[in-house]
Amino acid sequence: MKTYQRRKLMVVLFGCVIFLIFLLFRLGYLMVLGSGYYEKKAQTLHERERYIKAPRGKIYDRNGILLADNQTVCTVSVIHNQVEQPQRVAKMLAKELQLPFTEVKKRVNKVTAIEKIKANVSKATGDRILAYGLAGVKVDEDRKRFYPHGKLASKVLGFAGGENQGILGLEVQYEKQLKGKDGCILTLTDARGMELENAPKRRIAPIPGKNLYTTLDYTIQYYCQQAAEKICKEKKAKHVSILVMNPQNGEILAMVDVPEYNLNRPFSKHLSMKQLNERWRNGCIHDTYEPGSIFKIITSCAGLEAGVVTVSDRFFCPGFKVVEDRRIHCHKVKGHGALDFTGGLMNSCNPVFIEVGLRLGVEKYFRYFEQFGLYGKTGIDLPGEAKTIMHDKKNVGPVELATISFGQSFQITPIKLATSVSSLLNGGTMVTPHIGRYIVTESGKKIRKNYPAGKRIVSRRTSRIMRKLLRKVVAEGTGNKAEVEGYSVGGKTATSQTLPRSAHKYISSFLGFEPAKHPTVLALITIKEPKGIYYGGTIAAPVIRNIFENILPYLHNR
């Protein structure tokens, strides 16, 4: 019996020794090998984070003029466990922040580690709140996007939201580059969540975003915006869009879509979300329209390239052309009579271009349509670009082909039209329209955006002929109101009807370029639903002339 008890005791003692050895090893592991891990865990439990927003990268025009900056603001928060006079704190914050008292009181009494009351508070208001000296109220410096020129280029730049994130335009397109890395302030607290008075604070500095330099030219953008607002007011138009670009490389010098909006106040409590979306919409890239007679440039290039027409080919215009069972009218009711192809373009004669379209035929026309890059998107570095709306080829008969030939019965965006025409006039090489020029890092390193020249879409010969023809349109034809003394401007007028046709609403437009021999600037204006006279040659061409009179001397002397 004694032997059995001794053996039992030895087993128990052995088990205890093994357990103690395990505990010693475990304790050693926790104290030596695992100390760092558990120290971090303890620190996390006793540290409170207050984030510091990283300033967004700035946006500049091509000459270094600041378009988007950052402004110092404050974020006001309360720490529930530190608030000693909740009623007084709620009243003060409601008064200074102009918020409903019940809403503020609810947030002050909310049991959270830290409760944000309001962000993007002005520095002056933040300083006044701190001056009260009330326990539990925290005011942290922050950054808010600021646009020094208000509504200038609003639909290109876009804006940043309350959390400093890009919402529209370049702000969202280049979000990855513009957005920095947030920092934070770390403070030690006790078990009740109270900050320890003499405990050191750790500050992790935010990393600013990279700066974006654009192709936009502040001076040209300003002139264009003034011109668009003037004609919009005079003609009581719904919208006026103006694009200015370099046809040789696709750089966008200006992009205007009036009415613009104040970037520092993009929202309005009086507008619904649908109305706000309409307000923010960039008609140059988001909206499609029937291009009208400017599209005759496309038909001309296709016809010349395919060899179905020459500049000296003769035509006769009685004021209409019958296609199958449809009589399609020319804008000149009495007709242009006998004229050659050059005269057809100068006078924007519909029957001439219907004939060229029919000579090409559906297969060839659609092949050139695709070759000229008119189907897909341009690839511009702005979000939300719309696609061309075109007939399915199998549904296109002679009547549809006839109307397509002079720019009706399909829809295209202004940016797509301007880009395709630029590519046809620059010698025949496809370009990519773009606004981002290069990124500058915090260290000053430039990261250039590459936009290599695309494929050849038309021969140099056809491109040269087209430039000469369009120069005559301005010098002697329907575009004569765009002529600028001392410069060789080429261009094309257009007047198209919106849908439904029964509404009798129109879009007036003009595309101009200079110099005619080697264009380095191309401008396109579209005036949507003008009141009174609506012909493109009468109301749109003079606007481009006015813009060119201002910007051509500036560009030539730059």
Side-chain angles (χ1 to χ4, degrees):
M1 189 70 177
K2 287 181 180 179
T3 305
Y4 170 75
Q5 287 179 342
R6 191 180 294 121
R7 192 176 294 164
K8 187 177 179 182
L9 183 62
M10 288 296 290
V11 170
V12 171
L13 286 171
F14 181 75
C16 288
V17 169
I18 294 296
F19 182 67
L20 285 170
I21 291 170
F22 171 76
L23 285 178
L24 285 170
F25 270 106
R26 181 64 180 160
L27 187 61
Y29 170 78
L30 293 175
M31 292 178 69
V32 181
L33 298 175
S35 60
Y37 171 76
Y38 286 100
E39 185 182 359
K40 283 182 183 176
K41 288 276 283 184
Q43 197 173 34
T44 303
L45 288 169
H46 288 280
E47 274 187 338
R48 177 178 288 120
E49 289 183 336
R50 301 211 307 271
Y51 286 99
I52 308 167
K53 284 181 192 170
R56 286 177 73 80
K58 297 176 182 179
I59 302 177
Y60 296 89
D61 88 332
R62 66 188 303 113
N63 301 311
I65 294 175
L66 192 59
L67 301 178
D69 198 0
N70 298 296
Q71 197 174 52
T72 300
V73 291
C74 298
T75 296
V76 179
S77 310
V78 291
I79 299 172
H80 178 78
N81 288 342
Q82 295 179 7
V83 175
E84 296 170 357
Q85 300 170 283
Q87 188 75 3
R88 190 180 170 197
V89 166
K91 280 185 179 178
M92 180 274 291
L93 292 177
K95 175 190 169 187
E96 294 293 346
L97 300 175
Q98 297 181 348
L99 293 172
F101 172 72
T102 51
E103 182 187 326
V104 176
K105 185 179 177 183
K106 187 179 178 181
R107 292 189 187 180
V108 169
N109 292 327
K110 193 174 180 182
V111 183
T112 54
I114 186 165
E115 181 69 18
K116 185 191 289 183
I117 304 299
K118 191 176 181 181
N120 296 327
V121 175
S122 71
K123 184 77 165 55
T125 303
D127 290 342
R128 284 201 308 271
I129 290 171
L130 279 177
Y132 283 89
L134 294 174
V137 178
K138 296 292 174 187
V139 178
D140 294 316
E141 277 200 5
D142 211 337
R143 295 287 185 276
K144 177 188 176 183
R145 207 52 156 165
F146 173 68
Y147 302 92
H149 306 292
K151 61 184 180 179
L152 188 86
S154 64
K155 296 183 180 181
V156 179
L157 295 174
F159 58 90
E163 295 302 315
N164 234 11
Q165 80 282 16
I167 300 290
L168 292 170
L170 293 176
E171 291 280 21
V172 72
Q173 184 72 24
Y174 287 94
E175 172 71 2
K176 186 178 176 182
Q177 292 86 355
L178 292 169
K179 185 177 174 63
K181 188 176 181 181
D182 290 345
C184 63
I185 299 170
L186 301 165
T187 55
L188 289 174
T189 62
D190 60 19
R192 297 171 298 161
M194 302 288 285
E195 283 188 14
L196 301 177
E197 285 186 21
N198 299 318
K201 293 182 179 180
R202 283 201 302 143
R203 188 178 189 276
I204 299 172
I207 301 170
K210 299 175 182 71
N211 295 333
L212 171 66
Y213 282 76
T214 68
T215 62
L216 294 176
D217 187 301
Y218 170 85
T219 302
I220 297 174
Q221 182 76 26
Y222 182 78
Y223 278 137
C224 290
Q225 197 153 313
Q226 273 195 325
E229 286 172 350
K230 185 172 182 286
I231 192 67
C232 191
K233 186 177 179 181
E234 285 176 0
K235 300 302 296 181
K236 297 177 182 176
K238 186 178 179 182
H239 282 280
V240 176
S241 299
I242 299 176
L243 268 168
V244 181
M245 66 188 290
N246 183 338
Q248 299 299 326
N249 57 20
E251 288 186 346
I252 302 293
L253 303 175
M255 184 181 282
V256 174
D257 185 41
V258 168
E260 303 268 352
Y261 62 93
N262 191 332
L263 286 164
N264 296 308
R265 293 189 297 276
F267 293 92
S268 172
K269 61 183 179 181
H270 305 297
L271 299 177
S272 66
M273 202 63 226
K274 184 179 179 182
Q275 289 170 318
L276 284 171
N277 284 326
E278 183 63 29
R279 181 192 206 186
W280 301 332
R281 195 172 182 84
N282 184 347
C284 294
I285 63 167
H286 296 151
D287 296 338
T288 57
Y289 77 111
E290 289 190 358
S293 292
I294 290 174
F295 202 76
K296 289 170 182 174
I297 298 172
I298 307 295
T299 303
S300 298
C301 284
L304 290 166
E305 192 76 353
V308 301
V309 69
T310 67
V311 293
S312 58
D313 277 8
R314 304 296 297 177
F315 298 86
F316 184 80
C317 169
F320 63 89
K321 186 170 180 67
V322 176
V323 180
E324 290 191 329
D325 62 342
R326 195 79 55 88
R327 177 179 284 205
I328 302 173
H329 292 276
C330 184
H331 69 89
K332 188 174 183 180
V333 180
K334 292 182 179 179
H336 293 101
L339 71 175
D340 61 10
F341 180 71
T342 301
L345 187 64
M346 286 169 57
N347 292 291
S348 201
C349 178
N350 286 348
V352 168
F353 287 90
I354 293 171
E355 177 61 30
V356 173
L358 294 174
R359 286 182 189 180
L360 279 164
V362 174
E363 285 297 328
K364 271 188 182 177
Y365 200 101
F366 272 71
R367 188 167 75 240
Y368 281 109
F369 197 90
E370 186 173 1
Q371 184 175 312
F372 296 165
L374 290 158
Y375 274 119
K377 298 179 182 181
T378 64
I380 188 170
D381 50 346
L382 283 174
E385 183 185 0
K387 283 185 176 181
T388 300
I389 302 170
M390 184 45 136
H391 298 276
D392 190 325
K393 187 170 70 173
K394 65 185 180 185
N395 297 326
V396 175
V399 173
E400 289 77 20
L401 182 59
T403 55
I404 291 169
S405 300
F406 59 89
Q408 288 191 10
S409 77
F410 71 99
Q411 296 195 349
I412 194 170
T413 60
I415 188 65
K416 170 57 78 176
L417 182 62
T419 300
S420 292
V421 174
S422 290
S423 303
L424 293 169
L425 300 181
N426 68 8
T429 305
M430 182 63 77
V431 294
T432 301
H434 58 277
I435 297 170
R437 203 175 180 199
Y438 56 84
I439 302 289
V440 178
T441 65
E442 199 178 2
S443 64
K445 182 184 176 184
K446 285 184 181 180
I447 304 169
R448 289 203 169 268
K449 299 278 292 176
N450 291 319
Y451 303 94
K455 63 180 182 179
R456 174 163 294 283
I457 61 170
V458 76
S459 67
R460 292 184 184 279
R461 179 179 175 277
T462 297
S463 180
R464 184 173 62 254
I465 292 170
M466 202 67 239
R467 293 195 300 270
K468 286 181 179 178
L469 291 174
L470 293 172
R471 170 64 188 134
K472 285 194 171 186
V473 170
V474 172
E476 306 170 38
T478 55
N480 63 83
K481 285 183 168 56
E483 182 76 314
V484 179
E485 189 178 348
Y487 295 91
S488 59
V489 177
K492 184 72 192 74
T493 60
T495 308
S496 56
Q497 206 169 355
T498 63
L499 297 173
R501 308 289 189 208
S502 58
H504 299 292
K505 293 180 179 179
Y506 299 86
I507 296 175
S508 310
S509 52
F510 181 80
L511 182 144
F513 59 93
E514 202 279 337
K517 284 188 178 180
H518 182 77
T520 54
V521 60
L522 179 144
L524 171 65
I525 180 172
T526 56
I527 305 169
K528 297 182 181 179
E529 300 180 18
K531 300 292 188 292
I533 296 170
Y534 53 80
Y535 298 112
T538 306
I539 67 169
V543 180
I544 295 299
R545 182 193 64 218
N546 177 258
I547 290 170
F548 277 179
E549 283 173 344
N550 282 285
I551 73 170
L552 291 179
Y554 165 75
L555 286 170
H556 283 271
N557 294 326
R558 193 169 59 179

